[in-house]
Amino acid sequence: MIEFQNVSFSYESGTPVLQNLCFSIGAGEAVGLIGANGAGKSTIMKILLGLLPCEGGVTVGGLAVKKQNLGEVRKKLGFVLQNSDNQMFMPTVYEDMMFAPRNYGLSKEEAEARVDRVLSELGLTELKHRYNHKISGGEKRMAAIATILAMEPEAILMDEPSTALDPVNRRTVIRAINGLTMTKLIASHDLDMILDTCDRVILLSHGQVAADGPAGEILRDKALLEANRMELPFCLAGPSPRQ
Amino acid sequence: MNNISAASREFREMDELSAQDSPIHRLHPLVKLLVTLAYIVCVVSFPKYQLSGLAVMVLYPVLVFQLSGIPVRTCFHKLRIVLPLVCAVGLLNPFFDRAPLLYVGGLAVSGGVVSMVTLMLKGVFSLMASFLLIATTSIDALCAALRKLHVPALLVTLLLLTYRYISVMIGEVAVMTDAYRLRAPGQKGIHISVWGSFLGQLLLRSMDRAEELYQSMQLRGFRGEFYYADQPPCTAGAVAYGVVCAALFVLARLYDLPQLLGNLFV
C-alpha cells in the first residue's frame, strides 16, 4: 500500500531530516511511527501526501507520489492533522464532512448518506449540526477523524491523534481507531496508544529506521527505546518512582 | 473574556446567522448577490441632493430584515466600527456648500447638509445590504455564486481564504494577547516597544496556521472550485424575486417616488 525506497529529505538549511529511508506498509496494516522530536515522523507524512518534495521513490497504492498523481494519491490517503482547529475549517461538523465527498464528485444525497453512516458508526450523530467552534477538544478530534472517514480513504494517516485529550476522550479515539479496517499509519509520542492501536512499529532516529517490527516487541525493549530518547509505555514501566 | 476572543466569537456568529432558515436564506446565492449589487449601484448613483428619492431605498433592507429574521440590532452592532467612518465621509460638506437648498418651517437647509445626509444614507444603506447578503448566505455559497459569474478562481479563492484566515488570525491574536497580559500585569494594551515583535510573531504564526489550513483543504480535494457549497436550486420564484427587486430599484432611481406620491395629494 505504502512504499518508501531510499527516501531522503533535507530542509533548505541543508540539515538532513530523512536519510535513505526504506520501508513498506501492506494494505490493512496498523503501523505506529515513533521517534524523538525531530526524528522525521511528520515529515514522512507530508512526503506521503505530496506536501514536501523528496529524493527517492514513494508510492501509494502503486502510484508514485508526484505532481501528476497527487489528486489520486490524496484521494487514497486521509490525513488527520495534529491540530483539529486547522482541519475543521467549515462552520459546522456536517459541512466539514461534506467538503471532501462533494469535492470528489459525489452528489449531495450520496455525500449526506456517507456522512450519516460515518457519524453513526462513530457514535457522533448528535454532533452533526453543531458548530465547530462550539464543540470540545475531544469532540473536535473525533469530528476531525469523521471528516477524514467521510472520504473513504484506503489509508488513514494520523499525526499525534491523542494530543491534548483527557483520558476518556483518548480512550474514545483509541476505540475509534481500532474500529477502522483500512491501513493506518499513526505518528505519536503516546506509546501506550501505539501499543493499543498498532500491530507494527517503525522507530525512527535521525531520519533513519532504527527498528521495525511487532509493536509488542519494540515497545517492550527498554534499551532500544532509551537509546533513541524514548521510554517504555507507562503501562509497561511499572510503578512510578514516587509510589 | 479577552476583547479579541469576543471579536473572534462575533466574527463566527456570521456563520451562524447565514445558517439560519428563512425565505431569504433559501434564495439562490447568485440571485441574492445580483440583487445586492443592483441595490448598491442604484443607491450610490442617486444625485447628492435627491434625498427624498433615496429615502425610499430603505424599504429593501427593511423588507429583507423582516423576511430573513435577522435582527436590525445585530446589523448595527456588528457594523458599529465601520458605520461612523462611513457617516463621517460627508461631514465637511455643510462647510463648503452653504447655499440654501430648501426651507423647513422657515428654516433654511443648505445644499451641504442635504448632500451630507444623502452621502451618509448611501453608505448606511450599502453597508446594510452587504451585511444582509453575508448574514443570509454562507461564504462558500457566495464564492460559488462569484464563480458562476466567471470571477477568476484565484480571486474567489483569495476571498474565501481571507475570510477563513481572519478567524485564524483573530484566534492567534487572542492567544498572544492573553500570553502577554499574563506576563505584563497592570499594563493597558500592548506596549509600543513590543509592537514590532508582536506583529512579526503574529504574521509568522498566522502564516503557519493558514498554510496548514489550506493544505487541509487541498488534501480533501479542493481545487479552487466550490462543488461542496450547498446551493439551493435557482427556482422561478428566486428569478422573479431578483427581477422584481431590480425593477423596483431602477424605478426608485429614475423617479422620485415620494415626490410623485406627494403630487397626487397636493
Side-chain angles (χ1 to χ4, degrees), chain A residues 46 49 51 71 74 77 79 81 83 85-87 89-91 96 98-100 102-104 108 131 133-134 147-148 151, chain B residues 9 12-13 15-17 19 138 140 164 208-209 212-213 215-223 225-230:
Chain A
K46 287 187 173 173
L49 294 157
L51 295 172
R74 288 174 178 174
L77 301 173
F79 183 41
L81 273 71
N83 185 349
D85 282 330
N86 292 349
Q87 181 140 7
F89 47 77
M90 298 292 282
D96 232 305
M98 291 286 277
F99 184 83
R102 294 285 275 147
N103 275 329
Y104 285 125
K108 193 183 171 194
Y131 287 99
H133 63 278
K134 287 189 173 173
T147 61
I148 296 305
M151 289 171 64
Chain B
R9 197 193 55 190
R12 283 171 167 157
E13 278 170 5
D15 286 332
E16 294 177 29
L17 287 177
S138 73
D140 304 282
R164 295 229 189 288
D208 277 349
R209 282 201 60 190
E212 199 164 65
L213 197 145
Q215 284 175 350
S216 171
M217 292 174 74
Q218 280 188 310
L219 295 176
R220 287 197 274 156
F222 182 71
R223 298 279 178 280
E225 294 298 339
F226 298 83
Y227 305 118
Y228 64 88
D230 199 12

Short mmCIF file of all heavy atoms in Angstrom, two decimals, chain A residues 46 49 51 71 74 77 79 81 83 85-87 89-91 96 98-100 102-104 108 131 133-134 147-148 151, chain B residues 9 12-13 15-17 19 138 140 164 208-209 212-213 215-223 225-230:
data_model
loop_
_atom_site.label_atom_id
_atom_site.label_comp_id
_atom_site.label_asym_id
_atom_site.label_seq_id
_atom_site.Cartn_x
_atom_site.Cartn_y
_atom_site.Cartn_z
N LYS A 46 4.08 14.17 5.50
CA LYS A 46 3.96 15.24 4.50
C LYS A 46 4.51 14.79 3.15
O LYS A 46 3.98 15.18 2.11
CB LYS A 46 4.67 16.50 4.99
CG LYS A 46 3.90 17.19 6.11
CD LYS A 46 4.49 18.51 6.49
CE LYS A 46 3.57 19.21 7.49
NZ LYS A 46 4.14 20.41 8.03
N LEU A 49 1.97 12.64 1.43
CA LEU A 49 0.83 13.40 0.91
C LEU A 49 1.24 14.35 -0.21
O LEU A 49 0.40 15.08 -0.75
CB LEU A 49 0.19 14.21 2.05
CG LEU A 49 -0.46 13.35 3.14
CD1 LEU A 49 -0.57 14.12 4.44
CD2 LEU A 49 -1.84 12.90 2.68
N LEU A 51 3.16 16.91 0.10
CA LEU A 51 3.28 18.30 0.56
C LEU A 51 4.74 18.75 0.63
O LEU A 51 5.02 19.94 0.70
CB LEU A 51 2.63 18.45 1.96
CG LEU A 51 1.13 18.22 2.02
CD1 LEU A 51 0.64 18.22 3.46
CD2 LEU A 51 0.38 19.28 1.22
N GLY A 71 -3.62 14.18 -7.12
CA GLY A 71 -5.06 14.09 -6.91
C GLY A 71 -5.47 12.68 -6.49
O GLY A 71 -6.19 12.49 -5.51
N ARG A 74 -3.89 11.60 -3.05
CA ARG A 74 -4.53 12.22 -1.89
C ARG A 74 -5.94 11.68 -1.66
O ARG A 74 -6.47 11.74 -0.55
CB ARG A 74 -4.57 13.74 -2.08
CG ARG A 74 -3.19 14.34 -1.90
CD ARG A 74 -3.16 15.81 -2.22
NE ARG A 74 -1.82 16.37 -2.00
CZ ARG A 74 -1.48 17.60 -2.32
NH1 ARG A 74 -2.36 18.42 -2.86
NH2 ARG A 74 -0.26 18.03 -2.10
N LEU A 77 -5.49 8.70 0.53
CA LEU A 77 -4.97 8.92 1.89
C LEU A 77 -5.80 9.95 2.64
O LEU A 77 -6.09 11.02 2.11
CB LEU A 77 -3.53 9.42 1.83
CG LEU A 77 -2.50 8.54 1.14
CD1 LEU A 77 -1.18 9.28 1.03
CD2 LEU A 77 -2.31 7.24 1.92
N PHE A 79 -5.73 12.30 5.98
CA PHE A 79 -4.74 12.79 6.94
C PHE A 79 -5.43 13.53 8.09
O PHE A 79 -6.08 14.54 7.87
CB PHE A 79 -3.76 13.73 6.22
CG PHE A 79 -2.64 14.24 7.08
CD1 PHE A 79 -2.00 13.41 7.99
CD2 PHE A 79 -2.21 15.55 6.96
CE1 PHE A 79 -0.96 13.89 8.78
CE2 PHE A 79 -1.16 16.03 7.75
CZ PHE A 79 -0.54 15.19 8.66
N LEU A 81 -4.94 15.82 11.00
CA LEU A 81 -3.91 16.75 11.47
C LEU A 81 -3.82 16.74 13.00
O LEU A 81 -4.78 16.41 13.69
CB LEU A 81 -4.25 18.17 11.03
CG LEU A 81 -3.77 18.60 9.65
CD1 LEU A 81 -4.54 17.92 8.56
CD2 LEU A 81 -3.90 20.11 9.49
N ASN A 83 -3.52 19.39 14.85
CA ASN A 83 -4.37 20.47 15.35
C ASN A 83 -5.72 20.42 14.64
O ASN A 83 -5.83 20.82 13.48
CB ASN A 83 -3.67 21.82 15.11
CG ASN A 83 -4.44 22.97 15.71
OD1 ASN A 83 -5.59 22.80 16.14
ND2 ASN A 83 -3.82 24.13 15.76
N ASP A 85 -8.21 22.22 14.96
CA ASP A 85 -8.73 23.53 14.57
C ASP A 85 -8.37 23.86 13.12
O ASP A 85 -9.10 24.55 12.43
CB ASP A 85 -8.16 24.62 15.48
CG ASP A 85 -8.87 24.65 16.81
OD1 ASP A 85 -10.06 24.29 16.83
OD2 ASP A 85 -8.25 25.00 17.81
N ASN A 86 -7.20 23.39 12.69
CA ASN A 86 -6.79 23.66 11.31
C ASN A 86 -7.48 22.72 10.33
O ASN A 86 -7.50 22.98 9.13
CB ASN A 86 -5.28 23.51 11.18
CG ASN A 86 -4.55 24.60 11.93
OD1 ASN A 86 -5.17 25.56 12.37
ND2 ASN A 86 -3.26 24.43 12.10
N GLN A 87 -7.97 21.61 10.85
CA GLN A 87 -8.63 20.65 9.97
C GLN A 87 -10.11 21.01 9.76
O GLN A 87 -10.65 20.84 8.68
CB GLN A 87 -8.54 19.26 10.59
CG GLN A 87 -9.18 18.21 9.74
CD GLN A 87 -8.37 16.94 9.72
OE1 GLN A 87 -7.40 16.79 10.44
NE2 GLN A 87 -8.77 16.04 8.90
N PHE A 89 -12.35 23.54 9.12
CA PHE A 89 -12.42 24.95 8.71
C PHE A 89 -13.81 25.39 8.29
O PHE A 89 -14.03 26.56 8.05
CB PHE A 89 -11.43 25.22 7.57
CG PHE A 89 -11.48 24.20 6.48
CD1 PHE A 89 -12.48 24.22 5.56
CD2 PHE A 89 -10.53 23.20 6.41
CE1 PHE A 89 -12.54 23.27 4.56
CE2 PHE A 89 -10.57 22.25 5.41
CZ PHE A 89 -11.59 22.27 4.48
N MET A 90 -14.75 24.44 8.19
CA MET A 90 -16.10 24.84 7.82
C MET A 90 -16.88 25.18 9.10
O MET A 90 -16.48 24.78 10.18
CB MET A 90 -16.80 23.71 7.06
CG MET A 90 -16.14 23.33 5.76
SD MET A 90 -16.25 24.59 4.50
CE MET A 90 -17.92 24.36 3.93
N PRO A 91 -18.01 25.90 8.97
CA PRO A 91 -18.70 26.30 10.19
C PRO A 91 -19.23 25.13 11.04
O PRO A 91 -19.11 25.15 12.25
CB PRO A 91 -19.87 27.15 9.68
CG PRO A 91 -19.46 27.60 8.33
CD PRO A 91 -18.58 26.54 7.77
N ASP A 96 -18.24 20.34 7.21
CA ASP A 96 -16.86 19.87 7.10
C ASP A 96 -16.80 18.46 6.52
O ASP A 96 -15.94 18.15 5.69
CB ASP A 96 -16.21 19.89 8.49
CG ASP A 96 -14.90 20.63 8.47
OD1 ASP A 96 -14.07 20.25 7.64
OD2 ASP A 96 -14.74 21.57 9.22
N MET A 98 -19.00 17.09 4.62
CA MET A 98 -19.48 17.07 3.22
C MET A 98 -18.39 17.57 2.27
O MET A 98 -18.44 17.30 1.06
CB MET A 98 -20.71 17.98 3.07
CG MET A 98 -21.96 17.48 3.76
SD MET A 98 -22.70 16.10 2.88
CE MET A 98 -23.63 16.94 1.62
N PHE A 99 -17.44 18.32 2.81
CA PHE A 99 -16.45 19.00 1.97
C PHE A 99 -15.73 18.05 1.00
O PHE A 99 -15.76 18.26 -0.22
CB PHE A 99 -15.43 19.70 2.88
CG PHE A 99 -14.41 20.53 2.16
CD1 PHE A 99 -14.69 21.82 1.76
CD2 PHE A 99 -13.16 20.01 1.86
CE1 PHE A 99 -13.74 22.58 1.10
CE2 PHE A 99 -12.21 20.77 1.19
CZ PHE A 99 -12.51 22.05 0.82
N ALA A 100 -15.11 17.00 1.54
CA ALA A 100 -14.33 16.12 0.66
C ALA A 100 -15.21 15.31 -0.30
O ALA A 100 -14.94 15.29 -1.51
CB ALA A 100 -13.45 15.19 1.50
N ARG A 102 -18.03 15.93 -1.60
CA ARG A 102 -18.58 16.79 -2.66
C ARG A 102 -17.48 17.19 -3.63
O ARG A 102 -17.69 17.24 -4.84
CB ARG A 102 -19.24 18.04 -2.05
CG ARG A 102 -20.46 17.75 -1.22
CD ARG A 102 -21.68 17.42 -2.06
NE ARG A 102 -22.37 18.61 -2.48
CZ ARG A 102 -23.02 18.73 -3.63
NH1 ARG A 102 -23.04 17.72 -4.47
NH2 ARG A 102 -23.64 19.83 -3.95
N ASN A 103 -16.28 17.48 -3.08
CA ASN A 103 -15.16 17.82 -3.97
C ASN A 103 -14.79 16.65 -4.86
O ASN A 103 -14.28 16.84 -5.96
CB ASN A 103 -13.94 18.23 -3.14
CG ASN A 103 -13.99 19.70 -2.76
OD1 ASN A 103 -14.52 20.52 -3.49
ND2 ASN A 103 -13.47 20.03 -1.60
N TYR A 104 -15.01 15.43 -4.37
CA TYR A 104 -14.66 14.26 -5.17
C TYR A 104 -15.83 13.80 -6.05
O TYR A 104 -15.83 12.68 -6.54
CB TYR A 104 -14.16 13.13 -4.26
CG TYR A 104 -12.75 13.39 -3.77
CD1 TYR A 104 -12.44 13.39 -2.43
CD2 TYR A 104 -11.72 13.65 -4.68
CE1 TYR A 104 -11.16 13.65 -1.98
CE2 TYR A 104 -10.43 13.92 -4.25
CZ TYR A 104 -10.15 13.92 -2.90
OH TYR A 104 -8.88 14.19 -2.48
N LYS A 108 -25.09 15.44 -3.59
CA LYS A 108 -25.38 15.85 -2.21
C LYS A 108 -26.00 14.68 -1.43
O LYS A 108 -25.65 14.45 -0.26
CB LYS A 108 -26.35 17.04 -2.23
CG LYS A 108 -26.46 17.70 -0.89
CD LYS A 108 -27.45 18.82 -0.90
CE LYS A 108 -27.67 19.29 0.55
NZ LYS A 108 -28.83 20.13 0.71
N TYR A 131 -21.77 23.58 15.70
CA TYR A 131 -20.74 24.47 15.15
C TYR A 131 -19.36 24.03 15.64
O TYR A 131 -19.20 23.70 16.82
CB TYR A 131 -21.00 25.92 15.57
CG TYR A 131 -22.17 26.51 14.83
CD1 TYR A 131 -23.43 26.57 15.41
CD2 TYR A 131 -22.03 26.97 13.53
CE1 TYR A 131 -24.51 27.08 14.72
CE2 TYR A 131 -23.10 27.47 12.83
CZ TYR A 131 -24.34 27.53 13.43
OH TYR A 131 -25.41 28.03 12.74
N HIS A 133 -16.75 25.66 16.32
CA HIS A 133 -16.13 26.44 17.39
C HIS A 133 -16.84 26.27 18.73
O HIS A 133 -16.46 26.87 19.71
CB HIS A 133 -16.03 27.92 16.99
CG HIS A 133 -17.35 28.58 16.79
ND1 HIS A 133 -18.06 28.49 15.63
CD2 HIS A 133 -18.10 29.36 17.61
CE1 HIS A 133 -19.17 29.19 15.73
NE2 HIS A 133 -19.22 29.71 16.92
N LYS A 134 -17.90 25.47 18.73
CA LYS A 134 -18.63 25.30 19.98
C LYS A 134 -18.53 23.88 20.53
O LYS A 134 -19.25 23.53 21.46
CB LYS A 134 -20.11 25.67 19.76
CG LYS A 134 -20.32 27.16 19.61
CD LYS A 134 -21.77 27.51 19.61
CE LYS A 134 -21.94 29.02 19.63
NZ LYS A 134 -23.35 29.40 19.47
N THR A 147 -14.40 13.49 9.55
CA THR A 147 -14.31 14.19 8.25
C THR A 147 -13.42 13.41 7.28
O THR A 147 -13.66 13.39 6.08
CB THR A 147 -13.72 15.62 8.39
OG1 THR A 147 -12.41 15.51 8.91
CG2 THR A 147 -14.56 16.50 9.27
N ILE A 148 -12.39 12.77 7.85
CA ILE A 148 -11.48 12.00 7.00
C ILE A 148 -12.14 10.69 6.57
O ILE A 148 -12.03 10.27 5.41
CB ILE A 148 -10.15 11.75 7.75
CG1 ILE A 148 -9.44 13.07 8.02
CG2 ILE A 148 -9.25 10.81 6.96
CD1 ILE A 148 -9.19 13.94 6.80
N MET A 151 -14.25 10.58 3.57
CA MET A 151 -13.57 10.49 2.25
C MET A 151 -13.47 9.05 1.78
O MET A 151 -13.15 8.79 0.63
CB MET A 151 -12.13 11.02 2.36
CG MET A 151 -11.98 12.50 2.55
SD MET A 151 -10.24 12.90 2.92
CE MET A 151 -9.42 12.41 1.42
N ARG B 9 -15.46 35.47 18.45
CA ARG B 9 -16.78 34.85 18.59
C ARG B 9 -17.80 35.60 17.74
O ARG B 9 -18.63 35.00 17.06
CB ARG B 9 -17.20 34.87 20.07
CG ARG B 9 -18.32 33.91 20.39
CD ARG B 9 -18.87 34.20 21.75
NE ARG B 9 -19.28 35.59 21.85
CZ ARG B 9 -19.62 36.19 22.98
NH1 ARG B 9 -19.58 35.55 24.10
NH2 ARG B 9 -19.99 37.45 22.99
N ARG B 12 -17.52 34.73 14.15
CA ARG B 12 -18.07 33.42 13.82
C ARG B 12 -19.59 33.40 13.86
O ARG B 12 -20.23 32.52 13.28
CB ARG B 12 -17.52 32.38 14.77
CG ARG B 12 -16.10 32.00 14.40
CD ARG B 12 -15.48 31.16 15.44
NE ARG B 12 -14.26 30.56 14.94
CZ ARG B 12 -13.28 30.14 15.71
NH1 ARG B 12 -13.39 30.22 17.00
NH2 ARG B 12 -12.21 29.61 15.19
N GLU B 13 -20.15 34.37 14.56
CA GLU B 13 -21.62 34.44 14.61
C GLU B 13 -22.20 34.69 13.22
O GLU B 13 -23.36 34.37 12.97
CB GLU B 13 -22.06 35.54 15.57
CG GLU B 13 -22.05 35.09 17.03
CD GLU B 13 -22.25 36.25 17.99
OE1 GLU B 13 -22.50 37.39 17.52
OE2 GLU B 13 -22.14 36.01 19.19
N ASP B 15 -21.41 33.14 10.60
CA ASP B 15 -21.68 31.81 10.05
C ASP B 15 -23.01 31.27 10.59
O ASP B 15 -23.76 30.63 9.87
CB ASP B 15 -20.56 30.84 10.41
CG ASP B 15 -19.31 31.09 9.61
OD1 ASP B 15 -19.43 31.59 8.47
OD2 ASP B 15 -18.21 30.79 10.10
N GLU B 16 -23.24 31.56 11.87
CA GLU B 16 -24.48 31.07 12.47
C GLU B 16 -25.68 31.78 11.86
O GLU B 16 -26.72 31.17 11.60
CB GLU B 16 -24.45 31.28 13.98
CG GLU B 16 -23.39 30.43 14.66
CD GLU B 16 -23.31 30.67 16.16
OE1 GLU B 16 -24.33 31.02 16.76
OE2 GLU B 16 -22.21 30.51 16.70
N LEU B 17 -25.53 33.08 11.62
CA LEU B 17 -26.64 33.83 11.00
C LEU B 17 -26.93 33.27 9.61
O LEU B 17 -28.08 33.07 9.23
CB LEU B 17 -26.28 35.31 10.88
CG LEU B 17 -26.27 36.14 12.17
CD1 LEU B 17 -25.81 37.56 11.88
CD2 LEU B 17 -27.65 36.16 12.80
N ALA B 19 -26.50 30.39 8.55
CA ALA B 19 -27.00 29.02 8.56
C ALA B 19 -28.48 28.94 8.96
O ALA B 19 -29.07 27.86 8.96
CB ALA B 19 -26.17 28.18 9.52
N SER B 138 -23.89 31.75 3.08
CA SER B 138 -22.59 31.31 3.58
C SER B 138 -21.50 31.78 2.63
O SER B 138 -21.74 32.00 1.44
CB SER B 138 -22.56 29.79 3.70
OG SER B 138 -22.49 29.21 2.42
N ASP B 140 -19.10 30.16 1.43
CA ASP B 140 -18.83 29.20 0.35
C ASP B 140 -19.86 29.34 -0.78
O ASP B 140 -19.52 29.28 -1.95
CB ASP B 140 -18.85 27.78 0.92
CG ASP B 140 -17.87 27.64 2.06
OD1 ASP B 140 -16.68 27.52 1.79
OD2 ASP B 140 -18.30 27.71 3.21
N ARG B 164 -11.53 32.94 5.85
CA ARG B 164 -11.15 31.88 6.80
C ARG B 164 -9.96 32.31 7.67
O ARG B 164 -9.90 32.02 8.85
CB ARG B 164 -10.75 30.62 6.04
CG ARG B 164 -11.86 29.98 5.28
CD ARG B 164 -11.94 28.50 5.57
NE ARG B 164 -12.87 27.85 4.68
CZ ARG B 164 -14.17 28.00 4.75
NH1 ARG B 164 -14.70 28.77 5.67
NH2 ARG B 164 -14.96 27.39 3.89
N ASP B 208 1.81 30.07 9.37
CA ASP B 208 1.92 28.63 9.62
C ASP B 208 0.55 27.98 9.66
O ASP B 208 0.30 26.96 9.04
CB ASP B 208 2.65 28.36 10.95
CG ASP B 208 4.15 28.41 10.77
OD1 ASP B 208 4.60 28.45 9.61
OD2 ASP B 208 4.87 28.43 11.78
N ARG B 209 -0.33 28.61 10.43
CA ARG B 209 -1.66 28.02 10.58
C ARG B 209 -2.44 28.08 9.27
O ARG B 209 -3.14 27.16 8.89
CB ARG B 209 -2.43 28.74 11.69
CG ARG B 209 -1.99 28.29 13.06
CD ARG B 209 -3.03 28.57 14.10
NE ARG B 209 -4.29 27.88 13.81
CZ ARG B 209 -5.41 28.12 14.46
NH1 ARG B 209 -5.44 29.01 15.41
NH2 ARG B 209 -6.51 27.48 14.15
N GLU B 212 -1.33 25.37 6.95
CA GLU B 212 -1.86 24.06 7.33
C GLU B 212 -3.35 23.94 6.96
O GLU B 212 -3.81 22.91 6.50
CB GLU B 212 -1.66 23.82 8.82
CG GLU B 212 -1.74 22.34 9.16
CD GLU B 212 -1.18 21.99 10.51
OE1 GLU B 212 -1.74 22.45 11.50
OE2 GLU B 212 -0.19 21.24 10.57
N LEU B 213 -4.04 25.04 7.17
CA LEU B 213 -5.47 25.05 6.85
C LEU B 213 -5.69 24.85 5.33
O LEU B 213 -6.53 24.06 4.90
CB LEU B 213 -6.04 26.39 7.30
CG LEU B 213 -7.53 26.55 7.45
CD1 LEU B 213 -7.79 27.49 8.63
CD2 LEU B 213 -8.17 27.13 6.24
N GLN B 215 -3.57 23.45 3.30
CA GLN B 215 -3.18 22.07 2.96
C GLN B 215 -4.31 21.11 3.30
O GLN B 215 -4.59 20.16 2.55
CB GLN B 215 -1.93 21.68 3.75
CG GLN B 215 -0.66 22.31 3.18
CD GLN B 215 0.56 22.02 4.02
OE1 GLN B 215 0.47 21.50 5.13
NE2 GLN B 215 1.72 22.37 3.51
N SER B 216 -4.97 21.37 4.41
CA SER B 216 -6.08 20.51 4.81
C SER B 216 -7.18 20.55 3.74
O SER B 216 -7.81 19.53 3.44
CB SER B 216 -6.62 20.97 6.16
OG SER B 216 -7.79 20.30 6.47
N MET B 217 -7.40 21.72 3.18
CA MET B 217 -8.41 21.84 2.10
C MET B 217 -7.95 21.08 0.86
O MET B 217 -8.72 20.33 0.25
CB MET B 217 -8.64 23.31 1.76
CG MET B 217 -9.32 24.10 2.84
SD MET B 217 -9.42 25.85 2.48
CE MET B 217 -10.70 25.87 1.25
N GLN B 218 -6.68 21.27 0.52
CA GLN B 218 -6.14 20.59 -0.68
C GLN B 218 -6.22 19.07 -0.54
O GLN B 218 -6.55 18.37 -1.48
CB GLN B 218 -4.68 20.99 -0.87
CG GLN B 218 -4.49 22.33 -1.52
CD GLN B 218 -3.02 22.53 -1.84
OE1 GLN B 218 -2.17 22.34 -0.97
NE2 GLN B 218 -2.73 22.90 -3.06
N LEU B 219 -5.89 18.60 0.68
CA LEU B 219 -5.86 17.15 0.89
C LEU B 219 -7.25 16.54 0.83
O LEU B 219 -7.39 15.33 0.75
CB LEU B 219 -5.21 16.83 2.25
CG LEU B 219 -3.74 17.19 2.37
CD1 LEU B 219 -3.22 16.93 3.76
CD2 LEU B 219 -2.91 16.42 1.34
N ARG B 220 -8.26 17.38 0.90
CA ARG B 220 -9.62 16.86 0.79
C ARG B 220 -10.27 17.30 -0.53
O ARG B 220 -11.47 17.48 -0.62
CB ARG B 220 -10.45 17.31 2.00
CG ARG B 220 -10.01 16.54 3.24
CD ARG B 220 -11.01 16.62 4.34
NE ARG B 220 -10.82 17.80 5.16
CZ ARG B 220 -11.79 18.37 5.87
NH1 ARG B 220 -13.00 17.88 5.85
NH2 ARG B 220 -11.54 19.42 6.58
N GLY B 221 -9.41 17.43 -1.52
CA GLY B 221 -9.91 17.56 -2.89
C GLY B 221 -10.21 18.96 -3.38
O GLY B 221 -10.76 19.13 -4.47
N PHE B 222 -9.86 20.01 -2.59
CA PHE B 222 -10.16 21.37 -3.03
C PHE B 222 -9.22 21.80 -4.15
O PHE B 222 -8.01 21.69 -4.02
CB PHE B 222 -10.05 22.34 -1.86
CG PHE B 222 -10.38 23.76 -2.21
CD1 PHE B 222 -11.68 24.13 -2.48
CD2 PHE B 222 -9.39 24.73 -2.29
CE1 PHE B 222 -12.00 25.44 -2.82
CE2 PHE B 222 -9.69 26.04 -2.63
CZ PHE B 222 -11.00 26.39 -2.89
N ARG B 223 -9.82 22.25 -5.27
CA ARG B 223 -9.00 22.68 -6.41
C ARG B 223 -9.42 24.08 -6.89
O ARG B 223 -9.30 24.39 -8.06
CB ARG B 223 -9.19 21.71 -7.59
CG ARG B 223 -8.77 20.30 -7.34
CD ARG B 223 -7.25 20.13 -7.48
NE ARG B 223 -6.85 18.78 -7.17
CZ ARG B 223 -6.70 18.31 -5.94
NH1 ARG B 223 -6.91 19.09 -4.90
NH2 ARG B 223 -6.35 17.07 -5.72
N GLU B 225 -12.51 25.16 -6.90
CA GLU B 225 -13.92 25.19 -7.29
C GLU B 225 -14.77 24.85 -6.07
O GLU B 225 -14.30 24.20 -5.14
CB GLU B 225 -14.20 24.18 -8.42
CG GLU B 225 -13.50 24.52 -9.73
CD GLU B 225 -13.95 25.85 -10.34
OE1 GLU B 225 -15.04 26.34 -10.00
OE2 GLU B 225 -13.19 26.42 -11.15
N PHE B 226 -16.03 25.28 -6.11
CA PHE B 226 -16.86 25.17 -4.91
C PHE B 226 -17.97 24.15 -5.09
O PHE B 226 -19.13 24.45 -4.91
CB PHE B 226 -17.40 26.56 -4.55
CG PHE B 226 -16.29 27.51 -4.25
CD1 PHE B 226 -15.62 28.17 -5.27
CD2 PHE B 226 -15.86 27.70 -2.95
CE1 PHE B 226 -14.56 29.02 -5.00
CE2 PHE B 226 -14.80 28.54 -2.67
CZ PHE B 226 -14.15 29.20 -3.70
N TYR B 227 -17.56 22.92 -5.44
CA TYR B 227 -18.55 21.86 -5.64
C TYR B 227 -19.29 21.57 -4.33
O TYR B 227 -20.41 21.11 -4.34
CB TYR B 227 -17.86 20.58 -6.11
CG TYR B 227 -17.02 20.74 -7.33
CD1 TYR B 227 -15.66 20.52 -7.29
CD2 TYR B 227 -17.59 21.15 -8.54
CE1 TYR B 227 -14.87 20.68 -8.42
CE2 TYR B 227 -16.81 21.32 -9.66
CZ TYR B 227 -15.45 21.08 -9.60
OH TYR B 227 -14.67 21.26 -10.71
N TYR B 228 -18.59 21.81 -3.24
CA TYR B 228 -19.13 21.42 -1.94
C TYR B 228 -20.16 22.41 -1.41
O TYR B 228 -20.90 22.12 -0.50
CB TYR B 228 -18.00 21.25 -0.93
CG TYR B 228 -17.27 22.53 -0.65
CD1 TYR B 228 -17.69 23.38 0.34
CD2 TYR B 228 -16.15 22.89 -1.40
CE1 TYR B 228 -17.03 24.57 0.58
CE2 TYR B 228 -15.49 24.07 -1.17
CZ TYR B 228 -15.92 24.90 -0.17
OH TYR B 228 -15.26 26.07 0.05
N ALA B 229 -20.16 23.63 -1.98
CA ALA B 229 -21.04 24.66 -1.43
C ALA B 229 -22.49 24.28 -1.68
O ALA B 229 -22.87 23.94 -2.80
CB ALA B 229 -20.73 26.00 -2.07
N ASP B 230 -23.25 24.34 -0.61
CA ASP B 230 -24.65 23.96 -0.70
C ASP B 230 -25.44 25.08 -1.39
O ASP B 230 -25.50 26.19 -0.89
CB ASP B 230 -25.18 23.74 0.72
CG ASP B 230 -26.43 22.91 0.73
OD1 ASP B 230 -26.74 22.33 -0.33
OD2 ASP B 230 -27.10 22.85 1.76
#
